[in-house]
Amino acid sequence: MGGALDPVVANGRRVLRLALDDLPPGSRVEVALSGGADSLALAACLSFVAPRAGWAAGAVVVDHGLQHGSAEVAARAAEQASALGLDVEVERVDVGTDGGPEAAARDARYVVLRSRPVDAVLVAHTLDDQAETVLLGLGRGSGPRSLAGMPAVDGIVRRPFLGLRRADTERICTASGLTWWTDPHNADPSFRRSRVRHEALPVLEDVLGGGVAEALARTADQLRADTALLDDLAAAVADPCDVPVLAAMPPALRSRVLRRAALEAGADRSELAAVHVGELDRLVTDWHGQERVELPGRISASRAGDALHFEPTPVQG
């Protein structure tokens, strides 16, 4: 006779079911599987929940090929997911160099995940990951969009474990008889996120008496709600290049309208930063005939009279 179900396992299954409550029977759901504790725990929970909800369940392992033995790690992750009853595919990707190794690997991974022929791809970010993301954004002065952290739903990508701690996922793996891989990059001090995880957050927890990770995650939730409202208001502006209309807006709304205009013109979403939007704002509020503003993605912005104009940056001869 089996023992009582571990309450952490039960909670993992519960939050997964709630995160996918809108999916009807017959939907296909996949886990983005790395072989680490977080994604293996998510795979274990999906393998239990999916057949009871009538979903087809699988896993996709993205092998970035950046570390020696990455193919073996991918194969081991696929083997464990298959043993859980999931259909598994391994995708090898070529990682570029734009934005550094972490950003390039993330971009390559999400190209694969967002192209999967499924109803939902589950990414196993935890509350700890959310706290690190918020703290990194705070240190960069990135503004509320960055401090809002990672959303629970982003297109087909869903993050059911944002309320769980990293220790919870390890406990789920242990209870499920799974052996996880520990990425050496997670302890490498040359990566900023690693130092935040192992140095900055423990110091803050000690100085502030604990609860810092949870507080940072709550801050992200609050800012995400505010950001979503302002984004909706910005999307409703009929002409995002009309200077008198822009000048009459509150700064918080104007910055979002300008960001929207830049992105619609073809600016690079991953590189467009607050400093670029600030220069666009100066074209509206502090214009003295200054020349065009250069934006990532080889897009230029300029002002002529009461209108902003976006165009491809001229190629220098």
Side-chain angles (χ1 to χ4, degrees):
M1 183 175 179
L5 177 65
D6 188 315
V8 174
V9 175
N11 187 50
R13 295 171 178 176
R14 180 186 66 83
V15 297
L16 173 60
R17 187 67 182 87
L18 288 174
L20 301 176
D21 197 46
D22 60 313
L23 295 184
S27 299
R28 179 164 179 81
V29 183
E30 287 185 345
V31 174
L33 187 63
S34 69
D38 299 342
S39 61
L40 276 174
L42 191 51
C45 291
L46 179 63
S47 71
F48 178 86
V49 172
R52 290 160 178 79
W55 306 324
V60 55
V61 184
V62 179
D63 178 8
H64 302 91
L66 295 177
Q67 300 181 46
H68 177 70
S70 66
E72 288 75 13
V73 172
R76 177 57 180 154
E79 179 185 345
Q80 294 198 82
S82 181
L84 289 168
L86 303 181
D87 297 327
V88 188
E89 289 185 36
V90 177
E91 293 256 8
R92 180 70 180 261
V93 296
D94 293 321
V95 176
T97 58
D98 291 347
E102 289 180 280
R106 181 182 62 247
D107 290 345
R109 180 166 62 252
Y110 275 98
V111 167
V112 171
L113 299 184
R114 295 189 186 282
S115 66
R116 299 295 297 171
V118 299
D119 298 287
V121 175
L122 309 183
V123 179
H125 290 125
T126 65
L127 185 147
D128 298 86
D129 295 309
Q130 186 76 296
E132 293 159 11
T133 297
V134 174
L135 195 56
L136 284 164
L138 183 64
R140 289 191 298 263
S142 300
R145 186 176 301 280
S146 180
L147 298 184
M150 298 174 287
V153 179
D154 182 12
I156 68 167
V157 174
R158 304 199 187 193
R159 299 179 174 91
F161 278 5
L162 285 178
L164 271 63
R165 301 301 303 265
R166 193 167 287 128
D168 294 333
T169 66
E170 293 180 357
R171 184 164 160 179
I172 292 171
C173 286
T174 299
S176 304
L178 300 171
T179 303
W180 63 90
W181 170 69
T182 300
D183 187 345
H185 285 172
N186 291 339
D188 186 343
S190 65
F191 292 97
R192 186 176 290 114
R193 182 177 286 270
S194 175
R195 296 197 67 185
V196 166
R197 178 176 302 177
H198 296 290
E199 299 176 37
L201 272 171
V203 169
L204 286 173
E205 293 280 357
D206 180 52
V207 171
L208 299 178
V212 171
E214 291 87 351
L216 288 168
R218 287 196 302 273
T219 298
D221 290 341
Q222 294 161 8
L223 284 170
R224 197 177 310 112
D226 293 348
T227 298
L229 173 60
L230 288 167
D231 285 347
D232 287 344
L233 293 174
V237 175
D239 184 355
C241 295
D242 186 315
V243 169
V245 171
L246 288 165
M249 292 178 183
L253 178 58
R254 183 170 60 244
S255 66
R256 284 162 174 79
V257 176
L258 290 169
R259 181 176 185 273
R260 167 199 157 195
L263 292 174
E264 289 179 348
D268 186 330
R269 180 180 298 272
S270 65
E271 296 293 328
L272 187 67
V275 64
H276 302 118
V277 177
E279 288 303 306
L280 292 177
D281 191 81
R282 289 187 62 239
L283 291 178
V284 175
T285 63
D286 188 29
W287 187 56
H288 303 291
Q290 58 261 44
E291 294 297 319
R292 63 179 182 264
V293 174
E294 303 295 346
L295 302 173
R298 300 195 59 79
I299 297 296
S300 300
S302 59
R303 174 171 169 175
D306 284 343
L308 298 182
H309 299 277
F310 294 85
E311 59 187 1
T313 300
V315 177
Q316 298 297 322

